[in-house]
Structures are given as structure tokens and as C-alpha cells.
Amino acid sequence: MPPVLCCRRILTLLFLPLAWLAFPGQGFAVHPQRVVLDTYADFAQGTAEGVTVGDGGLLQPAPSVELLARLPADQLWVILPQSDGTALVAASPKAKIFRIGKHQEVTLLASFPEQQIHAMTRSPKGDLFAATSPDGKVYLVPEKGAPLVYFDPKEKYIWSLLFDPNGVLYAGTGTAGKIYRIEGPQKGGLYCATGETHVRCLTWEKPGVLLAGSASRGLLLRVLPGGQAVALVDTEREEVNQITVSSDGTVFFSAVGMRQAPRAPGPAPEPGSALVEIGSAPSEPPELEEPPRESGRRLPFGMIKPAAASSLSQLWAIDRSLVPRPIWGTRELLFSLLQSSLGLLAGTAGDGYLYRITPEGRSDRLLKIDAPAVQVAVAAGSRGEMLLGASNPARVFLAGGTPRREGLYRSAPIDAGNYARWGRLLIDKTGAVQVRTRTGNSAKPDTSWFEWTPAPDGRCHNPPGRYFQFELGLGLGSTVNRVQAVFLPYNLPPRIEKLQILPPGVAYSELPPPPSPLQARTLDQLLAQENKPEPVDAFPPMPPRYQAKEARGLRTVVWKAEDPDGDDLLYSVLYRNEKEQRWHLLVKDWEQELFSWDTSGWPDGRYLLKIEASDARDNAPGEGLTSSRISRAFLVDNTPPRIRVLACGDGKLRFLVSEDASGIRSVEISRDGREFLPVPPIDGILDSEEEEFEVPCAKGETLFIRAEDESGNIASASSASR
């Protein structure tokens, strides 16, 4: 999946090449961005044909793969290599077993009335047995003649067959989750009722002790001699579908699917069930794939990392410590496991990949089937080779230990988040590597993209576009361990998202930031650095803080602006009277998103402010873009209210207070000139431009009057009663 950066498309595809040819540098930012692929998670998002993706992020030619045989069937279920160099293959529909001869000839060995064959094995004496489904039976398959019914368990599905050294056959079944013990023709019976829905796989942990994988609750079961089943691990997945045991006794098993309801109980054990649950996995297994990394898009020459997908399948291990742990995960369906001379191999369904996995959980994506494979089965072949099976249609491939002479790696589409010009690919490589690139403007590469173009020097010669893809042709012995793509995004204008005029009488000044202490880091944090250019020894900068100051006539405007390209912005603040058309500059090249100024000398009236944001400082001369936003009208009122005494006598003082602009905030009276008390108007409420007041006044007493408007202007007067 490509990295995602939010942006909008700014030009149609029709005009992209014309703009690029006519104005090769116009409209692009100064600071380049880069996308770095240098880990397994990075490279695994692309497609590899004949290329191995190593655990450490190393690309190299994969083992050779050739088509061995095409089968007249759709689905392939089991591959069973033979000691004489031939192979038996179980396929469907209409269950059949085919033999692939030494010269790749395909012959029909046996056919069955049922639809599928999910299990096929040979006895210690060399006899061939197969189990059919649904409503299947266990068959003895002779070299010549029709298959013979060996045992009928009366079950819907038979998923697995396993012999012990004495020739006793065990069968895992569904939908009642039973294991049958079969001692001879029609001589068998129930060995273990697990209480699960299906027993999907069987293997020997040690003589006499079975391991079984279940479906419904996804349990790994240990079946003790006598048939008692003990739950070793609850994977909290839908099913455990493959189990294998290494030479040192480590048990590896795959858990696939997502259980619908966490910790949902399985079917109630039938009477006589021997299931005893004694342990479970952690309720939240650790994430097995690298989490998405944050984009460095807002930093000069920032590094962008692709995002990793979540796991559909998990590979678990139990070593001598007896502690189960998930060691690896993939978004694909893990379909088969095999211990081989190359290590532990895992085949997947969907993309048709074969993986090699270490006991520590490190993985190499060895190869891909060169066909639209839906399912992959792996089996050991002769001369150290491997047989790989694919379905839809059914085919068998031979994979050798020698590497291919050449392979092709194609990256996932890389999203610049915006129309961009792509520069040179910087490739850490050895040997001969051929490079091609292409660009486009749709998320999915298709015919609307520009053509693939050779890039012998690594430089992209494609027209600008939002999306980019590169292709590496690796020759014999060549390797690639790091690819860096550099691009210049098209410069987008800044956005002023909010703008507000604060109440009058207050100004703000920025306080100096406190010193930043050095930041302590753990080893895991240091290992996660991956050579990013961001500083590693400081805390993120604190947002600016502002100190308030109160005084008449002070005004403050604040705004919030962002640049989609991460450019630093400079601001201009302009003003005009509401009755004018011409704007006047108040301040230029301002860096803060707050500006305070003194309006005490301004004429009264209603004014507008315009904030202009420019990214010119971070772009080539003449390439900077601006945007602006106009405030709502605000009032400047520097004229105090008017006080007029109407009458003063007969024990009363009557006066008028008038305010034409901002309104009357308060009127107060003092009898000693020190303590002022509010006085209401005659009508009881200050809601008019002119209000009349009446207060009692003793003969010869002097009253002090003080009136303040909403802008903080104060008027005063006094009157003596006669």
C-alpha cells in the first residue's frame, strides 16, 4: 500500500505534460522530499517476479522456477513426492489423484465419487491412502485398479491422515471435531472427541503423543496416549491449519482467520470428551508487522515510509521453554508449512508467495509463482528441489536451489500527496541493475499512467505526476538493499483557516520559550530511528505562549494558517475603513499568528483587517504563493461619552449621558470623589445611545459623575446642589 498524504488534485491529466514542457520549474517547492525503501516491510509491498525479498530489506534473484505440469483440474489440494522422482497430486472437482512422471507426463491414477481430497499419505509399508470429502471415506489406493474403502467414519469431512510406526492410521475429521484410530480395514473407532468443530491437521510431537490443530476456536491440542486432549494454545484465531516439528523439537504451527467474537466458547464437548484446556495465548498477541510510520512531509527533505498491512495469518512457535509465542505474520492466508534443507518454508494463498522463516521470526520472501495462483502447496522434491502447487487452474512447479539469471522487482505506487516532479533514484546496489520509472495521477496504475521510461542513470524522465513507480531488473549475482526516490511537490497556496479580532483594551506579547532538556531515548527508540533527519536530542517545541497587557486603545488579531507543503509562512496585516476601498499596510513579513497594535490615535469608525499569508521564503524567487482572509468589521472608538447636567436642586440631580459609537458600559456616582457606585438610568437599563439619570442630592453637596463606554473611554463631570 502506498504512503498516503492528503492533498487535492490541482490539474487534469490532459494538461500535465503541456505544463511540464512549457514551464519545467514553475510552481514547484524548493525543499525536496524523499521516499526511502530499505526494510523488508517497505519492499514487501511491491511485486517481485524472480526476486527474493530478504528479511533485512535485501533484493536478489530468486531460486529458479519452472512449470512442471498442467493438470486437467481446477483445485490442487495435496502434493506427495515419491522416492522414484515422480509425484502424486490430489485435485478436484471430482476427486482425482494424478501421477506426474519423470518426464513430466501426467496420468490419472485414481478417481473417487466424492468431490475433494484433503489428505493423502503412505503407510510404513508403502501403501497409498487418501481421504475424501464431503461425506467422505478413507481409501486404500492400489497402483492398479479401483480404490478400496478402508474405513468410513460417517463424518462430513476428513481433513488429515497420519500413520504411527506400527501402521495404525489416525484421521482428523469435522464437523464434530473427532479423531479416529484405524487399525485395519473397517477396524477403527473414536480415539478423541476434542469438543471442537474440526480437526484440521495432525502430526507427531513424540512417539505416542499427537499434536492437533482445531477450527472454531483455533486451538493447538496435545493428544496424550489414550485419547485425552489438552489445549496447549488458544490462538484466538479461526483455525490452526498446519503443524510441523523441527529436528530440535520446536513446534511451528499456523493460525489463520479472525475469530468473530473474542474468547467465544466452542461447541460443548460431547459426552466422554477428553478435552482439558490448561493454557492460552496472550489475549493481545504483539503486532507482527511494522506499524505505519508518520510522514516527514512537513520537514525539509523529509522521509516518507510506506504503511504496513495488518496480519491475517500468524506463525507460532513452541520451543523447549514450552512458552507459545507468535513469531511472524502476513496479510495473506498461510496455506502450507514444510521443514526443508532451506529451513522452514511457508506457502500462501492469494498472491502465491513462498517464504522462508527463521525460528526468530525473520523472513525472506523467496519467490512468487509466475501465474495467477490462488493457493500454494509446498512439498519436498528430489535432489533438494521443491514442488510447488497452484490452483485455478491446477499446476505444479519445480523450484531449484540455483538462482535465476534475472528477476524483476516493481514497487508499489508511491503517493506524493500532490502533483510533483520526480527526480533521481538513489540505489544502493551491487552488480547489474536495470531501472525503469513511470508516473501517473490515479491511485491504481493502469493505461492512464505515462509509459515506462528507462532510467539508466537513475534519473526519472517522466512528466510530473502525483504517483510514481519504479522497476528494477536484477541480473545474476546483483543485489539491492536501499532505494531513495526524491521529488519536488507542486507548491500549493497556504490556507488561513481561522481569523478573530479580540475584545479591545488588551495586547499580547510572546514570551521566550523555556530551555528544552535533552531527551532520553531507549535502545528500541534509537533502533527505530533508521537515519531519519529529524533531531533526536530534543523534545518537540512547545507552542508559543503570550503575556497579556491591558490599556485603552489596544487591539489584537489572531489567526490560524497552514501550508499544505509544510512551507514556513510570513504574514502581512492590512487595514481599511469600512467606507474606503484602498488597503493600508499595518505590518509586513510578520512571523507570528498574532498581532497587537494601538488604535488610540485612529479616527473613530468601523474597520476591516486583511491577513495575507505567503510561502515565498521557502520557494524559488517568483514562485511563492499567497492567500488572504478578511476579518469582520470592528469598531474603533476613541471619543468618550458626553455628560450633560439637566438640573441640580430640590434634593435631586438630573443628567444625561450620550454615546454614539460603542454604547454605554457603566455610569457611576461618587459623593467624596474616591468611592464610585453604579447608578441605573431612569428606565432601569443601559440600552440606548442616550440615557437620563436622577439621583438624590443634599443641598450644597457636590456629586462626581463618571461614565465609561464599551471601548473603555471615560468621561467625568461634577455638580453642586443648590
Side-chain angles (χ1 to χ4, degrees):
M1 183 178 295
V4 176
L5 299 174
C6 295
C7 75
R8 61 182 179 87
R9 187 169 302 167
I10 57 176
L11 294 175
T12 64
L13 182 62
L14 177 63
F15 294 105
L16 290 178
L18 298 179
W20 176 65
L21 291 173
F23 308 101
Q26 183 172 353
F28 289 93
V30 169
H31 296 305
Q33 307 294 323
R34 62 178 176 174
V35 178
V36 175
L37 285 77
D38 59 1
T39 68
Y40 173 85
D42 298 338
F43 286 116
Q45 296 178 56
T47 58
E49 299 177 9
V51 172
T52 292
V53 181
D55 168 70
L58 183 69
L59 303 180
Q60 59 185 344
S64 60
V65 179
E66 61 178 286
L67 180 63
L68 187 64
R70 296 181 184 273
L71 306 179
D74 294 331
Q75 284 80 37
L76 184 151
W77 298 105
V78 186
I79 302 176
L80 189 61
Q82 304 299 292
S83 58
D84 61 358
T86 63
L88 301 179
V89 180
S92 65
K94 293 295 183 183
K96 298 179 179 66
I97 298 177
F98 295 94
R99 185 192 302 275
I100 302 176
K102 297 179 181 180
H103 303 290
Q104 303 181 11
E105 68 276 12
V106 177
T107 57
L108 179 64
L109 176 64
S111 59
F112 305 83
E114 293 80 27
Q115 292 294 316
Q116 302 164 354
I117 299 175
H118 291 289
M120 186 167 59
T121 188
R122 285 194 181 273
S123 70
K125 296 181 179 180
D127 295 326
L128 179 64
F129 289 81
T132 59
S133 295
D135 301 320
K137 304 172 181 61
V138 178
Y139 287 89
L140 172 63
V141 185
E143 289 296 320
K144 296 181 180 180
L148 304 174
V149 176
Y150 189 74
F151 181 73
D152 184 0
K154 308 296 184 183
E155 299 288 349
K156 189 72 174 180
Y157 297 98
I158 306 175
W159 296 110
S160 53
L161 295 175
L162 182 67
F163 273 101
D164 69 9
N166 299 319
V168 177
L169 180 62
Y170 294 83
T173 66
T175 57
K178 298 177 180 178
I179 301 174
Y180 289 84
R181 187 175 188 271
I182 308 165
E183 299 181 357
Q186 308 304 329
K187 295 180 180 179
L190 178 64
Y191 181 66
C192 175
T194 66
E196 290 289 280
T197 304
H198 299 275
V199 176
R200 292 283 282 113
C201 49
L202 293 171
T203 195
W204 293 110
E205 182 182 17
K206 57 186 177 181
V209 179
L210 282 170
L211 292 175
S214 78
S216 71
R217 287 192 294 167
L219 303 179
L220 177 68
L221 305 169
R222 175 184 288 159
V223 184
L224 303 174
Q228 182 185 22
V230 176
L232 297 181
V233 183
D234 180 352
T235 66
E236 299 196 2
R237 296 283 174 142
E238 188 175 349
E239 64 178 73
V240 172
N241 65 343
Q242 296 287 328
I243 309 172
T244 184
V245 181
S246 66
S247 57
D248 65 358
T250 301
V251 178
F252 297 95
F253 58 98
S254 57
V256 302
M258 303 300 294
R259 189 185 296 177
Q260 297 300 317
R263 309 293 300 177
E270 297 184 3
S273 169
L275 176 61
V276 179
E277 187 167 346
I278 64 171
S280 66
S283 60
E284 295 184 0
E287 186 65 31
L288 300 177
E289 299 188 65
E290 297 187 18
R293 297 172 172 84
E294 292 185 359
S295 167
R297 185 72 174 84
R298 293 187 60 82
L299 294 176
F301 212 64
M303 181 168 64
I304 300 167
K305 279 291 188 179
S310 58
S311 298
L312 173 65
S313 304
Q314 290 182 329
L315 179 65
W316 291 65
I318 304 178
D319 56 18
R320 295 178 180 177
S321 69
L322 302 180
V323 178
R325 67 190 190 282
I327 63 172
W328 182 75
T330 175
R331 70 177 186 274
E332 304 156 272
L333 175 64
L334 209 161
F335 190 73
S336 54
L337 290 178
L338 174 72
Q339 294 285 349
S340 75
S341 58
L342 295 177
L344 179 62
L345 303 179
T348 61
D351 294 330
Y353 285 116
L354 178 68
Y355 296 87
R356 175 174 55 201
I357 305 168
T358 68
E360 296 79 21
R362 295 192 296 270
S363 64
D364 299 329
R365 196 168 74 184
L366 281 180
L367 54 87
K368 183 182 188 301
I369 299 296
D370 293 329
V374 174
Q375 297 167 330
V376 179
V378 185
S382 60
R383 301 181 301 278
E385 297 170 325
M386 297 174 290
L387 296 178
L388 309 178
S391 294
N392 297 328
R395 290 141 298 156
V396 177
F397 296 84
L398 179 65
T402 59
R404 293 174 51 148
R405 298 192 60 84
E406 60 182 19
L408 186 69
Y409 174 81
R410 182 173 293 173
S411 73
I414 299 170
D415 183 8
N418 180 31
Y419 179 62
R421 187 175 69 197
W422 296 86
R424 186 179 179 184
L425 279 177
L426 303 177
I427 304 173
D428 291 347
K429 63 182 179 67
T430 61
V433 177
Q434 303 295 321
V435 183
R436 294 200 306 167
T437 62
R438 65 173 175 174
T439 55
N441 289 282
S442 58
K444 182 179 180 181
D446 52 25
T447 57
S448 70
W449 278 46
F450 297 107
E451 296 293 332
W452 285 103
T453 302
D457 58 352
R459 190 172 300 278
C460 174
H461 299 283
N462 305 97
R466 171 173 173 172
Y467 297 94
F468 174 78
Q469 196 172 23
F470 65 85
E471 189 177 79
L472 306 177
L474 281 71
L476 182 62
S478 61
T479 62
V480 172
N481 58 28
R482 189 176 190 269
V483 177
Q484 175 179 292
V486 181
F487 65 93
L488 281 176
Y490 188 87
N491 188 30
L492 292 177
R495 297 189 301 264
I496 302 176
E497 299 178 347
K498 295 180 180 180
L499 174 60
Q500 186 172 349
I501 306 291
L502 300 185
V506 183
Y508 293 88
S509 58
E510 185 175 4
L511 295 174
S516 298
L518 294 179
Q519 185 175 8
R521 295 265 176 160
T522 66
L523 281 177
D524 288 340
Q525 290 172 325
L526 294 174
L527 289 171
Q529 285 285 132
E530 296 187 0
N531 298 319
K532 292 185 179 181
E534 294 88 344
V536 300
D537 58 348
F539 288 99
M542 295 181 59
R545 299 176 301 161
Y546 297 92
Q547 178 67 51
K549 174 186 176 182
E550 295 184 354
R552 189 181 67 84
L554 296 180
R555 299 304 302 252
T556 298
V557 58
V558 294
W559 62 92
K560 182 67 175 177
E562 289 188 356
D563 188 87
D565 308 309
D567 295 336
D568 289 334
L569 300 178
L570 292 177
Y571 305 100
S572 296
V573 181
L574 301 96
Y575 73 95
R576 68 174 174 87
N577 190 284
E578 195 174 38
K579 299 178 181 179
E580 293 181 312
Q581 296 299 319
R582 181 185 172 208
W583 291 97
H584 307 278
L585 182 65
L586 191 60
V587 67
K588 184 179 181 181
D589 294 338
W590 188 256
E591 295 185 352
Q592 302 175 28
E593 294 178 321
L594 175 147
F595 182 70
S596 296
W597 77 104
D598 187 356
T599 65
S600 59
W602 287 28
D604 290 358
R606 298 181 65 82
Y607 290 82
L608 300 171
L609 284 185
K610 179 167 70 172
I611 308 297
E612 291 184 348
S614 171
D615 63 5
R617 183 164 62 174
D618 275 359
N619 289 277
E623 301 299 334
L625 298 176
T626 62
S627 63
S628 63
R629 185 162 181 167
I630 299 175
S631 72
R632 299 174 62 180
F634 65 97
L635 178 67
V636 171
D637 178 14
N638 290 315
T639 303
R642 298 181 302 276
I643 302 174
R644 183 161 63 95
V645 176
L646 299 177
C648 184
D650 301 328
K652 294 181 180 179
L653 173 64
R654 293 174 57 245
F655 60 93
L656 289 175
V657 176
S658 304
E659 169 57 40
D660 301 330
S662 58
I664 303 172
R665 175 185 294 174
S666 65
V667 176
E668 299 173 313
I669 293 294
S670 174
R671 300 184 184 277
D672 56 11
R674 293 174 303 174
E675 182 180 2
F676 284 82
L677 298 175
V679 57
I682 292 177
D683 62 5
I685 185 170
L686 292 172
D687 60 353
S688 303
E689 294 181 353
E690 184 177 80
E691 296 283 358
E692 183 176 351
F693 297 81
E694 183 179 280
V695 295
C697 180
K699 184 177 181 180
E701 183 181 18
T702 299
L703 296 181
F704 299 88
I705 307 170
R706 185 169 65 188
E708 182 180 3
D709 63 18
E710 294 291 351
S711 296
N713 300 303
I714 297 176
S716 60
S718 65
S719 177
S721 176
R722 297 187 298 272

